[in-house]
Amino acid sequence: MLKLILDRDRKKPLRLLCIGAHSDDLEIGCAGTLLSWIDSDPEVEIRWVVLSAGGKRAAEARSSAKSLFGKHVKPEIVLGGFRDGFMPSQYAELKTFFETLKIGFEPDIVLTHYLGDRHQDHRLAAELTWNTWRNHLIFEYEIPKYEGDLAQPNAYVPIAKKMAERKIGLLGRHFSTQRNKDWFVPENFYSIMRLRGIECRSPSGMAEAFHVRKWLLQVSR
């Protein structure tokens, strides 16, 4: 399979807008990808957005993001105060919040939730992402859950074993509020990376996958 390389100005840092409804969503969905990209190109600017993060969850979001990117990448962390599980009822406020995210930051790639996610907060985050960034490359990440809404992705990022282990370790260290949940276990996070690794024949056997609905393909010599 041919690899598609992002067409961008190499003299400028890669700019990533990362949007998650809750404080562990981005880490579950795309932490391995982010670690891999930064490992190959540490010149990255990141706006890290968590829509619902209050109290302990806010502290978890901040500590996790800082740990994920290390000393050399300083993400701009934006935490919203929207109510977990009730975001559709706060549509107007969320729409206004998303509009503010465009100010002062023009991303090369937007990472957000899967548009077909059955969790109402996740799905609305994806819908508003598409409403707000209409001319951008958008990667929709996936989160395994009870609802069984995983679909067939069309974009894959192979993940080295050390990056997968860093991702799993990060989730275990920083999200103590989730440890009592039966689904929040390393085996589940490994399993989805293993499955996607099979599908793209990743050399390590592991990958993260995304839904990319629109991109431009130009073949040149």
Side-chain angles (χ1 to χ4, degrees), residues 17-103:
L17 174 60
C18 306
I19 300 173
H22 312 104
S23 66
D24 55 356
D25 289 338
L26 282 162
E27 288 85 349
I28 293 172
C30 59
T33 294
L34 294 171
L35 287 169
S36 299
W37 287 350
I38 292 170
D39 185 59
S40 61
D41 183 2
E43 294 296 322
V44 178
E45 294 180 2
I46 296 172
R47 179 169 284 182
W48 186 265
V49 181
V50 180
L51 303 179
S52 176
K56 291 183 178 179
R57 297 288 271 160
E60 289 177 342
R62 291 187 183 278
S63 65
S64 174
K66 292 177 181 178
S67 178
L68 175 64
F69 299 116
K71 298 179 180 179
H72 302 295
V73 178
K74 303 295 182 183
E76 176 193 357
I77 301 173
V78 181
L79 303 183
F82 298 97
R83 187 180 176 187
D84 181 6
F86 289 80
M87 289 186 194
S89 67
Q90 305 169 83
Y91 183 89
E93 294 85 353
L94 268 165
K95 175 64 176 174
T96 300
F97 180 81
F98 268 72
E99 289 298 319
T100 67
L101 296 176
K102 295 192 295 186
I103 300 172

Side-chain angles (χ1 to χ4, degrees), residues 146-213:
Y146 178 77
E147 286 79 3
D149 56 12
L150 294 178
Q152 180 58 59
N154 62 356
Y156 296 84
V157 178
I159 305 297
K161 183 179 179 180
K162 66 177 182 179
M163 299 304 179
E165 290 176 347
R166 281 184 62 187
K167 168 181 172 171
I168 301 302
L170 184 94
L171 287 165
R173 287 193 306 274
H174 293 282
F175 296 102
S176 60
T177 60
Q178 306 303 297
R179 290 176 190 155
N180 64 335
K181 297 183 176 180
D182 56 4
W183 61 270
F184 199 87
V185 294
E187 291 83 358
N188 288 340
F189 304 133
Y190 272 121
S191 65
I192 188 66
M193 287 192 288
R194 284 287 188 187
L195 175 62
R196 299 316 187 194
I198 292 171
E199 293 175 348
C200 70
R201 290 186 173 174
S202 168
S204 69
M206 287 178 283
E208 287 178 340
F210 302 86
H211 297 265
V212 181
R213 300 177 188 276

Side-chain angles (χ1 to χ4, degrees), residues 89-132:
S89 67
Q90 305 169 83
Y91 183 89
E93 294 85 353
L94 268 165
K95 175 64 176 174
T96 300
F97 180 81
F98 268 72
E99 289 298 319
T100 67
L101 296 176
K102 295 192 295 186
I103 300 172
F105 194 86
E106 181 65 22
D108 297 303
I109 301 175
V110 183
L111 295 108
T112 193
H113 287 278
Y114 168 47
L115 197 57
D117 198 306
R118 291 181 184 171
H119 190 298
Q120 63 274 17
D121 294 349
H122 297 182
R123 186 170 59 253
L124 182 56
E127 290 173 357
L128 286 172
T129 300
W130 278 100
N131 291 160
T132 309

